[in-house]
Amino acid sequence: MALLVQKYGGTSVGSIERIQHVASKIMLAKSQGHDVVVVVSAMSGETDRLIRLAEALSTEPTPREYDMLVSTGEQVTMSLLAIALANHNCRARSYTGPQAGIITDNVHTKARIIEVKTETIRRDLAEGYVVVVAGFQGVNSQGDVTTLGRGGSDTTAVALAAALKADECQIYTDVDGVYTTDPRMIPEAQLLPQISFEEMLEMSSLGAKVLQMRSVELANKHNTPLRVLSTFNDGTGTLVTFEDKVMQRRLVSGIAFSREEAIISMTGVPNRAGIEGHILGLVSDAHIEIDMIAQNATDKDHTDFTFTVQRQDAPKTLKLIEAIASDLGAVAVKSNDKVAKLSLVGIGMRSHTGVASTMFKALGRVNINIQMITTSEIKISVIINEDCLEKGVRAVHEAFELHKSAAERHLAFMET
Ligand code: ASP
Ligand code: MG
């Protein structure tokens, strides 16, 4: 018998039939003797609909009222699910985030959970109830409802699983798990049976949208095993967990990508101490987040300074950089918002050499020009033209034989 926290995403509860289906899955777990705490998202499309309503009234809805509004989506699903369960004689109680004891800071629309008070949930579990909690929301010190940012129900689930010391946090969704890359782009992509927290963090931050980043950070911090699996198909999905020997032996785990990138560069910047801090300080004062940075001196007195930002921030950044460039007497400002980031991720990189050269050769063979490179211990990212992205992902996927199952690749490695 285990204590499970199960989270069902928007498509999993997107209709009355689907809510019935979710109810039957919960009852199955109950009948196997498990204690179950369920976290639900709003029905698919509902949060977007609510946001559009607010935006129809105001370009900048008051954050407190925005949270009051968008938190209602999850309340609809939690109560419907509890009604469906009760109708099958499965005792269930639903709670809003505030009622369930999810305490957050005061940052409306993207609050962080600071504490989970579990007494109510523990009491109900002890009495045999299935506890259904509205995801994505909590309460601040003033007693106001807060929300946790888009995709925040994942974080509610992990926070509850950590606080309750659940055996597993199961994230039920509309995909079968985490793949070596997006199977909609590369149909040969393979389901990963396991991935480490660290790799999953990189994959989430690099554009793989299966889990909210913060939920992975939290699971890593509390060592909460997290499983991503399908509501609709059978299968054991992907277990996100701490590293083990098998994972370490794997050379690379997956390829993440993002099309939302733009590259901006200033050439002929007078080179003096502190210039980089000066430029980036002005950019961050404008609340623009910079991702990659490259700088190289072109002669004794000048340097080129290049960086990437999210594509949506590009126009604003460009304006700012043009002003900075004329202040500094830089030669030119260039930008390209038709670029994409392709990243290869794997903890095996720490202990294997030649990963970067294999990746760069694969891109070279299909004539892809790399515009920028960054690396970390477990990741290599490159910026390339957006229209080459699919070709690039395919080439790298093939070069590392990611179309082979994890077991096959593991064998191949042991043989060599
Ligand atoms: N309903 C919220 C959203 O659409 C939270 C979630 O589903 O995780 O972002
Ligand atoms: Mg989600």
Side-chain angles (χ1 to χ4, degrees), residues 41-42 47 74 136 150-154:
S41 283
T47 307
E74 272 71 13
F136 175 54
R150 299 306 304 268
S153 297
D154 294 340

